[in-house]
Amino acid sequence: MSDLINTTSKEESEILAVEIAGIKFKNPVLTASGTFGYGLDFANLIDLNRLGGFCSKGLSPKPMKGNPPPRIVETHGGMLNAIGLQNIGAKAFVTDKLPLLRNYDTKVIANVFGYSLEEYVEAIEILNDGEGIAAYELNISCPNVKQGGIVIGNSPVAAAEVTEAVKRVAKRPVIVKLSPNVTSIKELALAVQSAGADAFSLINTLVGMSIDIYTRRPRIANVTGGLSGPAVKPVAVRMCYEVAQVANIPIIGIGGIANWMDAVEFFIAGAKAIQVGTANYYDPCCTMKIIDGLLEYCQKQNISNISQLVNTLTR
Amino acid sequence: MSDLINTTSKEESEILAVEIAGIKFKNPVLTASGTFGYGLDFANLIDLNRLGGFCSKGLSPKPMKGNPPPRIVETHGGMLNAIGLQNIGAKAFVTDKLPLLRNYDTKVIANVFGYSLEEYVEAIEILNDGEGIAAYELNISCPNVKQGGIVIGNSPVAAAEVTEAVKRVAKRPVIVKLSPNVTSIKELALAVQSAGADAFSLINTLVGMSIDIYTRRPRIANVTGGLSGPAVKPVAVRMCYEVAQVANIPIIGIGGIANWMDAVEFFIAGAKAIQVGTANYYDPCCTMKIIDGLLEYCQKQNISNISQLVNTLTR
Amino acid sequence: MKEIIVTVKNIRHFGSAYCQLTLEVPTSLNIEPGQFAMLKPAGSLEPLLRRAMAFYQSQEINGNTLVDFIFHILGRGTQSLAQLHIGDKVEFLGPLGKSFSLEPAKTTHRAILVGGGVGTPALLILAQELCKEGIDLSIFLGARSINDLIGIEDFSRLNTHLVVSTDDGSFGEKGFVTAALTNFLEENKDKEFTLYTCGPDIMMHRTTEIANRYGIKTYASLEARMACGFGVCVGCVVETKTAQDSVYSRVCVEGPVFEGNEVIWCE
Amino acid sequence: MKEIIVTVKNIRHFGSAYCQLTLEVPTSLNIEPGQFAMLKPAGSLEPLLRRAMAFYQSQEINGNTLVDFIFHILGRGTQSLAQLHIGDKVEFLGPLGKSFSLEPAKTTHRAILVGGGVGTPALLILAQELCKEGIDLSIFLGARSINDLIGIEDFSRLNTHLVVSTDDGSFGEKGFVTAALTNFLEENKDKEFTLYTCGPDIMMHRTTEIANRYGIKTYASLEARMACGFGVCVGCVVETKTAQDSVYSRVCVEGPVFEGNEVIWCE
Ligand SMILES: Cc1cc2nc3c(=O)[nH]c(=O)nc-3n(C[C@H](O)[C@H](O)[C@H](O)COP(=O)(O)OP(=O)(O)OC[C@H]3O[C@@H](n4cnc5c(N)ncnc54)[C@H](O)[C@@H]3O)c2cc1C
Ligand SMILES: Cc1cc2nc3c(=O)[nH]c(=O)nc-3n(C[C@H](O)[C@H](O)[C@H](O)COP(=O)(O)OP(=O)(O)OC[C@H]3O[C@@H](n4cnc5c(N)ncnc54)[C@H](O)[C@@H]3O)c2cc1C
Ligand SMILES: Cc1cc2nc3c(=O)[nH]c(=O)nc-3n(C[C@H](O)[C@H](O)[C@H](O)COP(=O)(O)O)c2cc1C
Ligand SMILES: Cc1cc2nc3c(=O)[nH]c(=O)nc-3n(C[C@H](O)[C@H](O)[C@H](O)COP(=O)(O)O)c2cc1C
Ligand code: FES
Ligand code: FES
């Protein structure tokens, strides 16, 4: 990629560079699936070449139409969404998006989901042929239609099955994205870890609901939706910390991150990188500010590489 | 109680009166345990005689010292707390608080917890002798020290055991307060219901965490704390709705309620009454405003009794 | 599209329900009719999300651009915008969205504008440009009552054929704007028009149906709850027809302007 | 204790770090020295919780009370208070907490005040009342630098024995206030005093230790993060000694004023 403009200063790259599952990220600031489109939409808002990486909108083997509106509603400190995983499909991503994305020097993580084991595998096989994908991220927070619609990510067994099946075919590292809607995030993490996952990312959204008191209808057509934004940060930090106690693979922290201070909380709690989600909507350039802030913080605290922060909670 | 001033207008009592587990509340606006002290602290802030009822601070057989500070920290749209259930003990509640509380015309619900089955039973037996208690509310979100510290409320089996044991001795209706930190709130509710609970209240706090990025210490001495406030409302409404689909006993909705519109959301989702928690801290008179707002809403919507709202979500 | 912090140059209140906000943007924007911006008071954390606002007016003065918005104070977002003072900072992202195309009007030589309530402001820039193009313009504006007719004088200043209706008859003709429109079309059966509309879905739907009866093409500017405003959340969709089937199109990118017959109206 | 909406009468900024807020309370409050109020901009949702602020001054004018607070702008709460304008509304709960008792000073006839940083304002009303009582008063105030000495002129106006120290020597004596205190006590071994202090825990702890050496009783006004301010959340506790053991006492009800030796200092 030597022909690409590299907009990261030498000092910045030394202090912020992190490696996860063999992938070298220029910094630990990534963006979360479903909040960054297919990456290109941000090309004229931020310097994509300065971003550590991004996760694509969730991809399925075939394109999906998604849920009827309303799909989103703002809540206190966050928002609910039920997009219904509308996406262009894995094939179109490979043929239409990747060629353009290869012009940028940032890591592309393909977020994948399915409603059965087979669909996950099918999507991965399509993406295996795509050039310019650094890793896969499995969204396991969807119902398994073949198993009576139980949410895969809510069952350690089901989650392990998907992880194993995908690992068998995946030509790239597999990051498994954990659902927070479980009694024990540790148990889920351990199951996924022993199934061969290369890294964790957490959290996905909390299931929530909002009602219009005049029409008495749910504010989201799907009735329930996923809660995200600053409101969920304390739950996300806690889960990162719990998983860090049992993990021997890297953790990518997600949940309510809106500034560099939020990011540092996740590093201390045990995350080696972070993903910014909802904040991309209301502060489209926040990732650049987060990178600036982390650099300054590390310099002030005499931290020569940011991974020195990881899992350093003092009690 | 005819000698007590009744400050509730006739119309108000007709429209807002609700009955739960045989208890007649003058209105469905209660306050949540741990956010209302032992009731008396509010006597010079609001008209206690106008309040539907309140839940006492969690009571244990013996007084408890509680956790070291810091015990609370504000988060976006909410707060974390780990008070450690500091309380004066069931005996002192009966001897020191109840006599004063009997001067007020509002329903007193004694919130009870323990670190073993025996402790729950012990506390209930002490409270059985107290005059002026309308019901018991079981806080099952505490670890069972005899069972390796697993949180009772996170296991349907353990939760059912406690419910059964308490029901055997309790001289008053038993409300079981559900923990939201579970994969399936329905499963938990069903277990507690078949164990003989007279009503549900939900939700208790979500487990969260916050870190000071300069000291790298948890912002709460206990490391993790309970998340409450408007931030959790969407999760609480969703759980009320889910439980309402399987419940044949009444639900009391809790979680982020700060105004009458929030309360109405819970009624539509399936709650027959609500409890206000964190909002009591930053808006001490909010319960009175909520009662006013509910009355006006019912009148405008031609609702002759508020229970007509319960479980009326249209899809 | 610019993501930038701008300054409140003026804020004007019409009664308690409406506001006109004038922002100074320290750069030139080329705003097309029907486009919008995402706005929120700088640094405010409640609400988190910006609100979409259609450009009402814009004026470039040596490198800077003054932009005006008119909004109805409903919930948290508009309340926080209504509390701004002169000199306060605002987070601005725009211009955004697909604009009204003047081309069809250029071929029909005549255009009709139908505005309802707070959808009306989104039509002023379009009206101005159509006049510039020398297109024969008839404007129909509707509102609940006289107090909901905001910015009406800017439309009358264009001295085109202007018909105003209010539901309660407190100003202009009594009744819905669609009634006035139908009368007009009956009297002008022989003529060709292009119709542009912005307002409540129900009004735009009826307007499209009426226009169809007279073989007139309608372009409608839609509203939807938006989280991002630039295409990445896919939260703002409306169902639109395709050759065989239908798809969910993003109001912020594929819209806000759609062909009336393209939209699967759902009120 | 009153729960009431009050009006910003004046707001004064000292540099970028400190603010003096004057509120008009439409009722009479009888405020005792060391008491505090819980404050937040009316209707603001971020932050949710009010912030505890010690009364700096209060003045009753025909039924209304003007109250002053001086605060250090640190985080979300104080930032939101610092953004208030004259005429804005504020949610007010107060007066709250156990006050400084003048009785011990009346028996010793001499009192010492030790204030540090933004703890100093909490001592002004006490100083005024001690003077009224004709008690011989020595005041020791410390701060990081001259820019952190807020309201100092109000103390000097009392013309008592006033010693000011700054850590960097930019004003008064260079060094910690505890050094000045020790010198003074060495020179006044023979006399009896009652000591009142408010400031950083570390300063109040050292002050208590020093006072103990000279057999002087100390009363310290503590700080803690507070959710409610009136005793119901039990979140604001400090560990205090009891006959046998120790308990967690609420700073907002059992405090903020504690006997220095009662407190189990933990910095
Ligand atoms: C492309 C586009 C252009 C737009 N242009 C304009 C414009 O020029 N002027 C303008 O005023 N708006 C415009 N809107 C709408 C605007 O973006 C907001 O959605 C609307 O102002 C409501 O936002 P809010 O923050 O006030 O309500 P929110 O707090 O977002 O409330 C959520 C929803 O509930 C409804 N709601 C909230 N409170 C009330 C209430 N008290 N009574 C009835 N309904 C309520 C609102 O309709 C809102 O959509 C536009 C929207 C789009 C998509
Ligand atoms: C009885 C009592 C009286 C008080 N009287 C006064 C008074 O008269 N004047 C006064 O200024 N304060 C007073 N306080 C403290 C005040 O209540 C707040 O706790 C303090 O101002 C911090 O609140 P905040 O909203 O600015 O910070 P928060 O947003 O609450 O931040 C949380 C905590 O982190 C710390 N913090 C936040 N941001 C920063 C930062 N940038 N740098 C360093 N630390 C930070 C703060 O100390 C704060 O406690 C009093 C407290 C009590 C209990
Ligand atoms: C509108 C929206 C769409 C999302 N779509 C996806 C998705 O397709 N796949 C996925 O794994 N996560 C998806 N998420 C979850 C986010 O990636 C992220 O895990 C979550 O929002 C928490 O982070 P945040 O609080 O920073 O937003 C979506 C979130 C939002 C708000
Ligand atoms: C400081 C604090 C202390 C609490 N103590 C108790 C308790 O002793 N027993 C209990 O069952 N719930 C306790 N709770 C939980 C509340 O009763 C309530 O379930 C929770 O806060 C959610 O409601 P809210 O969002 O309205 O605060 C406590 C909550 C807070 C914030
Ligand atoms: S508002 Fe996000 S895609 Fe349209
Ligand atoms: S602040 Fe709530 S008890 Fe002191």
Side-chain angles (χ1 to χ4, degrees):
Chain A
M1 294 203 177
S2 53
D3 56 331
L4 300 169
I5 7 93
N6 187 326
T7 50
T8 311
S9 76
K10 184 161 175 310
E11 184 175 32
E12 180 172 321
S13 45
E14 275 168 6
I15 294 180
L16 297 184
V18 294
E19 186 171 328
I20 291 175
I23 310 157
K24 292 186 166 55
F25 294 93
K26 60 178 62 169
N27 63 59
V29 180
L30 321 180
T31 55
S33 178
T35 68
F36 210 69
Y38 304 102
L40 302 159
D41 317 73
F42 273 86
N44 45 16
L45 277 166
I46 64 170
D47 179 357
L48 280 177
N49 296 310
R50 212 184 151 208
L51 191 65
F54 75 87
C55 298
S56 72
K57 175 72 188 154
L59 297 166
S60 42
K62 312 231 167 329
M64 282 191 46
K65 184 174 180 180
N67 290 336
R71 290 177 169 188
I72 56 168
V73 65
E74 185 165 4
T75 64
H76 196 125
M79 64 180 279
L80 287 168
N81 89 84
I83 306 303
L85 296 161
Q86 176 172 351
N87 77 99
I88 59 173
K91 253 190 214 64
F93 180 72
V94 169
T95 55
D96 306 351
K97 303 295 180 184
L98 283 178
L100 300 168
L101 288 169
R102 287 196 286 269
N103 297 319
Y104 298 96
D105 177 18
T106 189
K107 299 296 181 201
V108 177
I109 298 171
N111 180 281
V112 174
F113 72 93
Y115 293 98
S116 69
L117 240 120
E118 297 67 23
E119 281 185 25
Y120 279 94
V121 171
E122 195 182 339
I124 295 288
E125 279 168 337
I126 297 167
L127 294 166
N128 273 337
D129 305 334
E131 188 196 320
I133 298 174
Y136 301 126
E137 179 179 59
L138 304 188
N139 171 7
I140 56 174
S141 304
C142 13
N144 184 327
V145 288
K146 295 197 180 168
Q147 287 174 31
I150 68 127
V151 174
I152 296 167
N154 291 0
S155 146
V157 177
E161 276 173 15
V162 172
T163 309
E164 255 167 38
V166 167
K167 275 298 288 181
R168 249 182 256 110
V169 294
K171 291 200 183 140
R172 285 148 180 148
V174 174
I175 303 161
V176 179
K177 183 168 186 175
L178 305 181
S179 157
N181 304 293
V182 294
T183 307
S184 170
I185 194 82
K186 273 189 189 181
E187 195 189 331
L188 178 61
L190 285 170
V192 165
Q193 177 169 282
S194 42
D198 300 293
F200 299 118
S201 61
L202 68 151
I203 62 174
N204 209 319
T205 53
L206 287 161
V207 180
M209 185 170 163
S210 176
I211 299 170
D212 181 315
I213 64 167
Y214 295 105
T215 62
R216 300 197 195 173
R217 292 179 182 285
R219 285 190 177 274
I220 290 206
N222 185 59
V223 183
T224 61
L227 182 65
S228 65
V232 308
K233 198 186 79 181
V235 174
V237 171
R238 184 263 299 182
M239 288 189 165
C240 270
Y241 178 71
E242 284 189 357
V243 170
Q245 306 315 303
V246 297
N248 45 40
I249 57 176
I251 297 167
I252 302 172
I254 320 170
I257 298 172
N259 57 52
W260 66 268
M261 291 161 297
D262 296 335
V264 171
E265 269 195 74
F266 279 84
F267 296 137
I268 296 171
K272 195 162 183 187
I274 56 100
Q275 291 178 17
V276 177
T278 302
N280 287 306
Y281 300 150
Y282 60 85
D283 187 8
C285 300
C286 65
T287 46
M288 299 295 113
K289 300 177 204 165
I290 291 172
I291 293 167
D292 294 338
L294 290 177
L295 189 60
E296 197 184 326
Y297 172 83
C298 289
Q299 288 164 334
K300 283 190 181 154
Q301 305 265 315
N302 300 316
I303 295 168
S304 59
N305 181 276
I306 193 147
S307 29
Q308 290 159 12
L309 265 176
V310 177
N311 212 345
T312 58
L313 187 79
T314 53
R315 303 185 46 168
Chain B
M1 292 203 176
S2 52
D3 56 328
L4 298 170
I5 7 92
N6 188 324
T7 49
T8 310
S9 76
K10 183 160 178 309
E11 183 175 33
E12 179 172 321
S13 44
E14 275 168 7
I15 294 179
L16 297 185
V18 295
E19 184 171 330
I20 291 175
I23 310 156
K24 292 186 165 55
F25 294 93
K26 60 179 63 169
N27 63 59
V29 180
L30 320 180
T31 56
S33 177
T35 68
F36 210 70
Y38 303 103
L40 301 159
D41 317 74
F42 273 86
N44 46 16
L45 277 165
I46 64 171
D47 179 356
L48 282 176
N49 296 310
R50 214 185 150 207
L51 192 65
F54 75 87
C55 298
S56 72
K57 175 73 188 154
L59 298 166
S60 42
K62 312 229 167 332
M64 281 191 47
K65 185 175 180 181
N67 290 336
R71 290 176 169 188
I72 55 169
V73 65
E74 186 165 3
T75 64
H76 195 125
M79 64 180 279
L80 288 168
N81 88 85
I83 306 302
L85 295 161
Q86 177 172 352
N87 78 99
I88 59 173
K91 253 191 216 61
F93 180 72
V94 170
T95 55
D96 306 351
K97 303 294 180 184
L98 282 179
L100 300 168
L101 287 169
R102 287 195 285 269
N103 298 319
Y104 297 96
D105 177 18
T106 188
K107 299 296 181 204
V108 178
I109 298 171
N111 180 281
V112 174
F113 71 95
Y115 293 98
S116 70
L117 242 124
E118 297 69 21
E119 282 185 25
Y120 279 93
V121 171
E122 195 182 338
I124 295 288
E125 279 167 338
I126 297 167
L127 294 166
N128 275 338
D129 305 334
E131 188 195 319
I133 298 174
Y136 302 127
E137 179 179 59
L138 305 189
N139 172 6
I140 56 174
S141 303
C142 13
N144 184 327
V145 288
K146 294 199 178 167
Q147 287 175 30
I150 67 126
V151 174
I152 296 167
N154 290 0
S155 146
V157 178
E161 276 173 17
V162 172
T163 308
E164 254 166 39
V166 167
K167 273 300 286 181
R168 249 183 255 108
V169 294
K171 290 198 184 140
R172 287 149 181 144
V174 174
I175 303 161
V176 178
K177 185 168 184 174
L178 304 181
S179 157
N181 304 292
V182 294
T183 306
S184 170
I185 194 81
K186 274 189 189 181
E187 195 189 331
L188 178 62
L190 285 170
V192 166
Q193 178 169 280
S194 42
D198 300 292
F200 297 119
S201 61
L202 69 154
I203 62 175
N204 209 319
T205 53
L206 287 161
V207 181
M209 185 170 164
S210 176
I211 299 170
D212 181 318
I213 64 168
Y214 294 104
T215 62
R216 299 196 197 175
R217 293 178 181 286
R219 285 189 178 276
I220 289 202
N222 185 58
V223 182
T224 61
L227 182 65
S228 65
V232 307
K233 196 186 81 181
V235 174
V237 172
R238 185 263 300 181
M239 288 188 165
C240 271
Y241 178 72
E242 284 189 357
V243 170
Q245 306 315 303
V246 297
N248 44 42
I249 57 176
I251 297 166
I252 301 173
I254 320 170
I257 298 171
N259 56 52
W260 66 269
M261 291 163 288
D262 296 335
V264 171
E265 269 194 77
F266 279 84
F267 296 136
I268 295 170
K272 195 162 183 187
I274 56 100
Q275 291 177 18
V276 178
T278 301
N280 288 305
Y281 300 151
Y282 60 86
D283 188 7
C285 301
C286 65
T287 47
M288 299 295 114
K289 300 177 204 163
I290 292 172
I291 294 166
D292 295 337
L294 290 177
L295 189 60
E296 196 184 328
Y297 171 83
C298 288
Q299 288 165 333
K300 281 192 184 152
Q301 305 264 316
N302 301 315
I303 295 167
S304 59
N305 181 276
I306 193 146
S307 29
Q308 290 159 11
L309 265 176
V310 177
N311 211 346
T312 58
L313 187 77
T314 53
R315 302 185 49 166
Chain C
M1 171 176 56
K2 294 272 194 320
E3 155 69 1
I4 186 168
I5 303 279
V6 304
T7 310
V8 176
K9 194 81 179 160
N10 191 32
I11 179 156
R12 183 176 160 201
H13 293 265
F14 305 92
S16 59
Y18 296 92
C19 243
Q20 179 165 358
L21 185 64
T22 310
L23 302 176
E24 182 171 45
V25 183
T27 171
S28 66
L29 306 164
N30 66 67
I31 296 162
E32 295 167 6
Q35 287 190 301
F36 66 97
M38 297 293 288
L39 303 177
K40 124 178 170 180
S44 98
L45 290 169
E46 174 51 38
L48 280 174
L49 301 177
R50 303 181 185 190
R51 295 298 186 264
M53 290 293 157
F55 290 101
Y56 175 60
Q57 274 174 324
S58 89
Q59 181 187 4
E60 193 166 328
I61 306 164
N62 44 53
N64 293 4
T65 314
L66 285 183
V67 289
D68 281 65
F69 304 90
I70 288 179
F71 59 90
H72 190 185
I73 303 168
L74 286 170
R76 296 143 64 195
T78 46
Q79 273 159 24
S80 68
L81 289 170
Q83 280 157 23
L84 287 165
H85 300 88
I86 291 175
D88 286 349
K89 299 295 177 187
V90 170
E91 294 169 12
F92 174 99
L93 178 68
L96 299 163
K98 199 164 124 272
S99 58
F100 287 110
S101 163
L102 277 64
E103 295 316 313
K106 286 181 187 164
T107 54
T108 57
H109 304 297
R110 289 189 203 71
I112 298 171
L113 266 53
V114 180
V118 82
T120 300
L123 296 173
L124 183 65
I125 295 175
L126 173 65
Q128 292 164 336
E129 300 212 353
L130 287 169
C131 288
K132 269 206 228 85
E133 292 290 333
I135 284 154
D136 172 274
L137 196 53
S138 303
I139 305 178
F140 297 85
L141 303 181
R144 259 201 221 80
S145 87
I146 185 163
N147 307 321
D148 304 291
L149 286 167
I150 311 300
I152 207 83
E153 58 287 346
D154 294 310
F155 282 92
S156 42
R157 214 174 282 120
L158 297 170
N159 48 50
T160 62
H161 174 230
L162 174 62
V163 182
V164 178
S165 333
T166 52
D167 305 359
D168 64 2
S170 53
F171 186 92
E173 302 184 11
K174 185 177 194 311
F176 293 140
V177 67
T178 42
L181 173 67
T182 314
N183 300 339
F184 175 81
L185 290 177
E186 269 307 308
E187 295 157 5
N188 295 275
K189 278 212 183 69
D190 51 329
K191 306 203 187 74
E192 267 197 286
F193 297 97
T194 303
L195 194 150
Y196 302 93
T197 181
C198 186
D201 279 7
I202 176 83
M203 180 204 82
M204 294 193 286
H205 187 187
R206 294 285 155 279
T207 300
T208 305
E209 289 172 338
I210 294 164
N212 284 343
R213 272 190 250 123
Y214 297 88
I216 297 171
K217 213 168 206 177
T218 305
Y219 297 88
S221 178
L222 273 55
E223 270 196 21
R225 267 191 229 141
M226 294 186 168
C228 70
F230 57 98
V232 296
C233 77
V234 201
C236 61
V237 298
V238 58
E239 191 168 13
T240 56
K241 297 178 190 133
T242 57
Q244 313 80 355
D245 186 16
S246 74
V247 295
Y248 289 117
S249 305
R250 296 166 299 179
V251 171
C252 68
V253 173
E254 285 79 44
V257 177
F258 294 89
E259 256 190 53
N261 290 324
E262 208 187 334
V263 176
I264 300 176
W265 300 94
C266 60
E267 32 52 56
Chain D
M1 170 177 55
K2 295 271 194 321
E3 156 68 2
I4 187 168
I5 302 279
V6 305
T7 310
V8 176
K9 193 82 177 158
N10 191 32
I11 179 157
R12 181 174 160 203
H13 293 265
F14 305 93
S16 60
Y18 297 92
C19 242
Q20 178 165 0
L21 185 65
T22 309
L23 301 176
E24 183 171 45
V25 184
T27 171
S28 66
L29 307 164
N30 66 68
I31 296 161
E32 295 168 5
Q35 287 191 298
F36 66 96
M38 296 293 289
L39 303 177
K40 120 178 172 181
S44 98
L45 290 170
E46 174 51 37
L48 280 174
L49 301 177
R50 302 179 186 192
R51 295 297 187 265
M53 291 292 157
F55 290 100
Y56 175 59
Q57 275 174 325
S58 88
Q59 181 187 4
E60 194 167 325
I61 306 165
N62 43 53
N64 292 5
T65 314
L66 285 183
V67 289
D68 282 64
F69 303 91
I70 288 179
F71 58 90
H72 189 185
I73 303 168
L74 286 171
R76 294 146 57 193
T78 46
Q79 273 159 23
S80 68
L81 289 170
Q83 280 157 22
L84 286 165
H85 300 89
I86 292 175
D88 286 350
K89 299 295 178 188
V90 170
E91 294 169 14
F92 174 100
L93 178 69
L96 300 162
K98 200 167 122 267
S99 58
F100 287 110
S101 163
L102 277 64
E103 295 315 315
K106 286 180 187 165
T107 55
T108 56
H109 304 298
R110 288 188 203 73
I112 297 171
L113 266 53
V114 181
V118 83
T120 300
L123 295 172
L124 183 65
I125 295 174
L126 173 65
Q128 292 164 336
E129 300 211 353
L130 288 168
C131 289
K132 271 207 226 83
E133 293 290 334
I135 284 155
D136 173 274
L137 197 53
S138 302
I139 303 178
F140 297 84
L141 302 180
R144 262 203 218 79
S145 87
I146 185 165
N147 306 322
D148 304 292
L149 286 167
I150 311 300
I152 206 83
E153 58 287 348
D154 294 310
F155 282 92
S156 42
R157 217 175 278 119
L158 298 169
N159 49 52
T160 62
H161 174 230
L162 173 62
V163 182
V164 178
S165 332
T166 52
D167 305 359
D168 64 0
S170 53
F171 187 91
E173 301 184 10
K174 186 178 194 309
F176 293 141
V177 66
T178 43
L181 173 67
T182 315
N183 300 338
F184 175 81
L185 291 177
E186 269 308 308
E187 295 158 8
N188 296 275
K189 278 211 182 66
D190 51 332
K191 307 204 187 74
E192 266 197 286
F193 297 97
T194 303
L195 195 150
Y196 302 93
T197 181
C198 186
D201 279 8
I202 176 83
M203 180 205 84
M204 293 192 288
H205 186 188
R206 295 281 157 280
T207 300
T208 306
E209 288 172 339
I210 294 163
N212 285 342
R213 272 191 250 121
Y214 297 89
I216 297 170
K217 213 167 209 189
T218 304
Y219 297 89
S221 178
L222 274 56
E223 270 196 22
R225 267 190 228 141
M226 293 186 169
C228 71
F230 57 99
V232 295
C233 76
V234 202
C236 61
V237 298
V238 57
E239 193 168 12
T240 55
K241 297 177 191 134
T242 57
Q244 313 81 354
D245 186 16
S246 74
V247 294
Y248 289 117
S249 306
R250 296 166 300 179
V251 171
C252 68
V253 173
E254 285 79 44
V257 176
F258 294 90
E259 256 192 53
N261 289 325
E262 208 188 334
V263 175
I264 300 177
W265 300 95
C266 60
E267 34 53 53

